Amino acid sequence: MHGFELTVQHMGTGAVSIKLRGALDLAYAYRFDDELRHAERDASSCLILDLRELDFVDSAGISRILAARRRARRTGRRLVIVRGSRAVQRFLQLAALTEHFEYVSEPADAVRATTQTA
């Protein structure tokens, strides 16, 4: 798949899920960042990045995800990642970033964890 798409879904209880599709690379990283910052306004408790349909990510895309992680920590919001494809997970592993994020298999798993800790 060429290009990049994202879908924002309000999950309730202050959680917002962003589903990414295509390639999150330099061409789309700052558009993603703009959309992410907009979604963060509604994500009072949890921001979920769904990477299952992401085909490719490069260092520019990872830098925007890391910036979101810093903002989440600063504001006390959880940033949860839905595991992506083998290639995306491998990139995160090679960049030594796997231990820096909370991972789930489905967006609903993050919402359940949010409501259980509330």
Side-chain angles (χ1 to χ4, degrees):
M1 174 181 196
H2 296 288
F4 174 75
E5 296 177 20
L6 62 84
T7 305
V8 177
Q9 180 181 6
H10 293 74
M11 307 286 290
T13 66
V16 174
S17 176
I18 301 176
K19 179 183 268 189
L20 309 176
R21 282 184 216 88
L24 179 54
D25 56 15
L26 181 60
Y28 299 102
Y30 290 94
R31 178 181 147 222
F32 165 67
D33 194 58
D34 288 342
E35 294 287 340
L36 190 58
R37 287 174 184 268
H38 183 73
E40 287 171 352
R41 293 183 204 131
D42 296 329
S44 60
S45 64
C46 182
L47 183 65
I48 304 160
L49 297 180
D50 186 343
L51 308 183
R52 292 177 293 181
E53 295 183 29
L54 193 63
D55 299 322
F56 175 80
V57 63
D58 70 3
S59 59
I62 290 296
S63 73
R64 299 299 85 217
I65 293 172
L66 288 171
R69 180 178 164 264
R70 284 190 298 274
R71 291 190 303 269
R73 285 183 159 210
R74 209 171 28 243
T75 60
R77 175 188 317 111
R78 288 173 58 221
L79 177 65
V80 180
I81 293 183
V82 179
R83 286 179 191 85
S85 68
R86 187 176 297 191
V88 169
Q89 289 303 119
R90 181 75 176 142
F91 185 87
L92 291 170
Q93 184 179 25
L94 289 172
L97 295 173
T98 52
E99 67 275 0
H100 295 283
F101 294 99
E102 177 183 351
Y103 290 92
V104 295
S105 297
E106 299 283 331
D109 295 341
V111 174
R112 274 192 289 280
T114 298
T115 58
Q116 290 173 355
T117 58

